[in-house]
Amino acid sequence: MTDEGIAQVGKGYRKGPVILRGHQIPKETTDQRLLDRQDDTDWVHGDPWRVMRIQSEFVEGFGALAEVGRAVSVFGSARTQPDHPDYALGEQVGRGLVENGYAVITGGGPGVMAAANKGAKEAGGLSIGLGIELPFEQGMNEWVDLGVNFRYFFARKTMFMKYSSGFVVLPGGFGTFDELFEALTLVQTHKVTEFPIVLVGAAYWGGLLDWIKTAVVDRGMINPIDLELLKVVDDPDEAVRIVCTHNEALRAAADAEA
């Protein structure tokens, strides 16, 4: 699906709490303006005030998600159509997580994200969407019960990491890769408490994993034991089981130390 195709499913361009349509849609996102390297010095007067906006995003995000409880983030492509097998996998993952006592967090968009939110909502659980301002309309999917819209990717990423007890990653593109490797890096470097990361779809992820196991490991870029941070399955129920078993073991270990 093209970016324009994705835009059609949206209900307006979201810029924080503001919705814009038609000619009101800006040509640049807030992130673009923040990261733009300007030749003049006007940024000196503007950027300090941006800090207040950034702070407000963290405050609003923390306030909205503080009482969510146990939750798992599900990532995957926004381009996946409802008739694609990956969509059904997303629904099953969302449903399975709720049935095991977890809320489901996604990026709030269409495709796999909508599928996981749908599975969670139809199972009677809490369905959460963390949206982001993009250069094309996307909007929060209809299956989200609790939605928070962000201007800045780094604020949104913090929410995924802080309030998730694990990641289930279905086939996706650059955005999905970004979220996957962000999680891997933070777990590998012990910046976050270790949590499970499960990839669904061995055929899709196989080439990437083969490259990591050979080129990356062989050059000493990572330790072979780092590969254990990733689990790969084809069965969505198995993905849910791995997340639950891992977290139960962590809780048991914490109780034993208390």
Side-chain angles (χ1 to χ4, degrees):
M1 181 188 286
T2 64
D3 288 348
E4 290 78 10
I6 295 175
Q8 292 175 4
V9 305
K11 298 180 180 179
Y13 181 94
R14 291 191 174 271
K15 188 175 182 182
V18 179
I19 299 177
L20 302 172
R21 294 191 175 96
H23 296 300
Q24 294 296 313
I25 296 175
K27 295 181 180 179
E28 295 180 322
T29 67
T30 306
D31 266 329
Q32 282 178 296
R33 289 190 293 277
L34 172 66
L35 299 175
D36 180 39
R37 187 177 186 278
Q38 302 176 19
D39 293 329
D40 57 41
T41 59
D42 288 346
W43 64 271
V44 174
H45 307 289
D47 277 0
W49 289 103
R50 284 196 177 112
V51 174
M52 303 300 291
R53 178 181 289 170
I54 293 168
Q55 177 179 310
S56 73
E57 291 215 338
F58 281 104
V59 171
E60 290 169 1
F62 291 153
L65 301 173
E67 298 179 357
V68 162
R70 293 190 301 165
V72 171
S73 289
V74 181
F75 297 128
S77 177
R79 302 167 184 263
T80 302
Q81 296 297 300
D83 59 353
H84 193 281
D86 288 346
Y87 195 96
L89 291 177
E91 285 190 61
Q92 195 167 341
V93 168
R95 185 181 310 112
L97 288 170
V98 166
E99 290 172 350
N100 282 274
Y102 290 90
V104 171
I105 305 175
T106 78
V112 168
M113 294 176 281
N117 285 134
K118 179 182 179 183
K121 186 176 179 66
E122 291 184 342
L126 179 56
S127 177
I128 302 166
L130 305 182
I132 186 68
E133 178 187 345
L134 293 171
F136 46 83
E137 297 179 61
Q138 181 166 310
M140 199 73 71
N141 71 65
E142 63 181 303
W143 305 104
V144 169
D145 293 317
L146 172 59
V148 185
N149 284 293
F150 294 88
R151 289 182 173 92
Y152 299 102
F153 267 107
F154 55 83
R156 179 181 184 241
K157 284 182 176 181
T158 300
M159 302 305 150
F160 278 124
M161 297 298 167
K162 181 173 177 60
Y163 294 104
S164 294
S165 299
F167 284 176
V168 177
V169 189
L170 280 75
F174 287 153
T176 302
F177 303 157
D178 176 55
E179 290 153 342
L180 167 61
F181 282 102
E182 175 92 8
L184 277 172
T185 301
L186 292 175
V187 173
Q188 181 204 42
T189 56
H190 304 289
K191 295 296 185 182
V192 297
T193 303
E194 181 181 344
F195 56 62
I197 303 172
V198 186
L199 306 180
V200 180
Y204 185 82
W205 298 107
L208 172 64
L209 294 174
D210 288 342
W211 173 73
I212 293 174
K213 291 174 182 177
T214 54
V216 182
V217 171
D218 290 348
R219 289 199 181 194
M221 301 302 178
I222 64 171
N223 192 310
I225 199 172
D226 291 334
L227 293 170
E228 296 180 9
L229 298 176
L230 284 170
K231 304 297 182 184
V232 186
V233 301
D234 284 314
D235 182 0
D237 292 335
E238 177 69 3
V240 173
R241 186 194 67 76
I242 290 172
V243 169
C244 295
T245 300
H246 187 104
N247 286 325
E248 286 168 5
L250 288 177
R251 287 195 293 273
D255 291 342
E257 293 178 0

